[in-house]
Amino acid sequence: MATEDVVGKTSQTVKTIVNLAGEAKLARDGVSVTTPTYAVLSICKSLVAGGVAGGVSRTAVAPLERLKILLQVQNPNNIKYSGTVQGLKYIWRTEGFRGLFKGNGANCARIVPNSAVKFFSYEQASKGILYMYRQKEGNEDVQLTPLLRLGAGACAGIIAMSATYPMDMTDKSSYQYRGMIHGLSTIMRQEGPRALYKGWLPSVIGVIPYVGLNFAVYESLKDWLIKSRPFGLVEDTELSVVTRLACGAAAGTVGQTVAYPLDVIRRRMQMVGWKDASSIVTGGKAPLEYTGMIDAFSKTVSNEGFRALYKGLVPNSVKVVPSIAIAFVTYEVVKDILGVEIRISD
C-alpha cells in the first residue's frame, strides 16, 4: 500500500510538471492559455520580473540613494558636503567602498517586494481600466490614453507603497538601526504599531504623481515612438534597449521633479521621535515636531526656507535617470526570458 501511494504521488507530480511545461511551450508559441495553472504561473512570473527589476535598479544606484538620504537630513549648521561628487568622495574617505552600499540590503528587501507588487498591480489596474474604457466607448479597439495610464500607475503606486511602507521606516536613518528587523522591533517597542505608518499620507500622495507619471510617460513615449517612427529609432515595431532606457530616464525625471518635496516631508515626519533628529535636521534651531503633513511643510519652509524641500534633489535626479530606466528595461527583459508575455499595458 505504501509503495502504491508513493507511485501515485510520483505520477501526479510528473503529470503536474508535464502540464506546466506544456503550458509554457504553448505560451511561447503564441497559443492562448487560460487554465488556472497557467494563470498562477503567469502571476508568479510577473511578480518575479518586477522584483528582479527593482533589485537590479536599486543596487545600480545604491551610492546615490545613500547620498540623497544623508543630504535630506544633513545639519544645516554643519555642512559636510554640498554636491554629489563631493558627497560620494566624503563617504568613500570616511567609510570606504562598503559605505557606498550601506543599507542596500535593507533597501533591496523593501524595494524587491515593492517593485513586484507595483508592476503586477499596474498590469491588473491597466487591464481593468481598459476594460471599463472599452465598455464605455463601445469600441474594443481603443487603447489606454496617457491620463488613464496615469490613473493605473497611481493605483499601483498606492498599493505597493501601502504593502511595504513599514519596511521603509527602517531606512530613515542608517545610524539609528542595525538592520530592518532591529528597526521594526525598535519602532514597535518605543512608539507602537501606528508609528510604522508615520508619514504614510505624504508618501501616498507622493506616489500618485511619481509612479503614475513614470508609467504614463514611459508607455506613452514608447507608443508615440512606435507609431511616429522618428529618427529611425524603431525597427520591426520594436524599440532598442538604448531607446527604452531613454524613455525610462525621461519618465523618471518628470515623476521625481513633481513628487520630490513630498519625499523630503515624508522622511522628516518619519524621523519624529528619534532623539537626535532635531539637531541633525534643523541644527537645533527648532524642535522636530509635526502635527501632520501641512504642519511639516509649513515648519520646514519657515525654519529652513523653500529650498529645504529640494535638499538632495541633484543626486536624486542623477539617481532617478538610470534607476527608473533600468527598472523598466530589466522588467521587460526578464519577462521575455521567462517566456510568458506579460504586457505592462495593452
Side-chain angles (χ1 to χ4, degrees):
M1 183 65 68
T3 302
E4 293 178 355
D5 289 341
V6 171
V7 172
K9 292 179 180 179
T10 302
S11 176
Q12 184 63 37
T13 302
V14 171
K15 288 180 181 179
T16 301
I17 294 174
V18 171
N19 289 337
L20 287 172
E23 290 166 5
K25 183 179 185 301
L26 289 173
R28 286 194 296 270
D29 294 339
V31 179
S32 177
V33 183
T34 58
T35 64
T37 301
Y38 177 75
V40 173
L41 183 65
S42 180
I43 292 173
C44 291
K45 289 186 174 183
S46 176
L47 292 171
V48 168
V52 171
V56 171
S57 64
R58 178 50 61 94
T59 301
V61 299
L64 293 170
E65 175 68 14
R66 174 90 195 284
L67 178 60
K68 182 200 77 169
I69 295 173
L70 292 179
L71 285 171
Q72 284 182 338
V73 299
Q74 184 175 215
N75 188 334
N77 294 332
N78 184 23
I79 301 296
K80 296 179 181 178
Y81 29 78
S82 57
T84 304
V85 176
Q86 182 185 3
L88 293 174
K89 286 182 177 179
Y90 177 84
I91 296 173
W92 177 276
R93 187 173 63 252
T94 57
E95 302 180 57
F97 178 79
R98 293 182 62 182
L100 295 174
F101 292 88
K102 190 173 184 179
N104 187 54
N107 275 332
C108 286
R110 174 178 58 86
I111 202 66
V112 166
N114 180 281
S115 181
V117 173
K118 180 174 64 179
F119 277 101
F120 177 72
S121 297
Y122 180 77
E123 290 174 14
Q124 302 308 309
S126 62
K127 288 177 182 178
I129 291 174
L130 181 60
Y131 174 78
M132 291 186 291
Y133 183 53
R134 286 175 173 175
Q135 292 294 314
K136 178 182 177 182
E137 295 294 320
N139 185 354
E140 291 297 318
D141 296 325
V142 297
Q143 301 298 322
L144 289 174
T145 64
L147 184 60
L148 292 177
R149 288 189 177 116
L150 178 66
C155 292
I158 292 172
I159 294 171
M161 172 64 70
S162 300
T164 62
Y165 190 78
M167 297 180 186
D168 189 47
M169 291 296 296
T170 64
D171 187 42
K172 68 183 180 180
S173 171
S174 58
Y175 298 102
Q176 188 181 8
Y177 304 127
R178 295 192 298 269
M180 183 177 64
I181 301 300
H182 176 248
L184 291 173
S185 61
T186 301
I187 293 171
M188 285 284 290
R189 184 176 64 256
Q190 294 182 354
E191 304 177 60
R194 291 186 61 184
L196 293 176
Y197 281 87
K198 189 180 296 179
W200 177 82
L201 180 59
S203 297
V204 168
I205 294 176
V207 300
I208 291 175
Y210 181 64
V211 179
L213 285 171
N214 282 344
F215 280 106
V217 173
Y218 181 74
E219 289 296 313
S220 298
L221 268 178
K222 284 177 56 182
D223 282 354
W224 177 75
L225 289 173
I226 291 173
K227 292 176 181 177
S228 61
R229 295 174 174 267
F231 316 117
L233 295 174
V234 182
E235 296 182 4
D236 299 327
T237 70
E238 289 293 333
L239 298 177
S240 67
V241 172
V242 174
T243 303
R244 283 183 287 168
L245 284 171
C247 292
T253 300
V254 173
Q256 66 94 29
T257 300
V258 173
Y260 191 78
L262 288 165
D263 185 53
V264 174
I265 294 302
R266 171 173 65 94
R267 295 198 180 277
R268 295 295 183 91
M269 294 181 68
Q270 286 178 341
M271 293 186 71
V272 173
W274 178 25
K275 62 184 180 64
D276 298 321
S278 182
S279 62
I280 289 180
V281 176
T282 68
K285 291 182 179 180
L288 199 67
E289 297 177 356
Y290 308 129
T291 58
M293 183 179 66
I294 303 300
D295 184 52
F297 262 110
S298 176
K299 288 182 178 178
T300 298
V301 174
S302 62
N303 292 331
E304 304 170 63
F306 184 78
R307 293 181 62 182
L309 295 175
Y310 288 91
K311 277 186 176 181
L313 177 61
V314 173
N316 190 67
S317 298
V318 176
K319 180 201 73 171
V320 163
V321 170
S323 178
I324 299 300
I326 290 171
F328 277 119
V329 174
T330 301
Y331 176 80
E332 293 180 343
V333 170
V334 173
K335 75 178 183 183
D336 289 339
I337 293 174
L338 292 176
V340 175
E341 185 176 359
I342 309 169
R343 293 181 59 83
I344 291 180
S345 65
D346 291 326

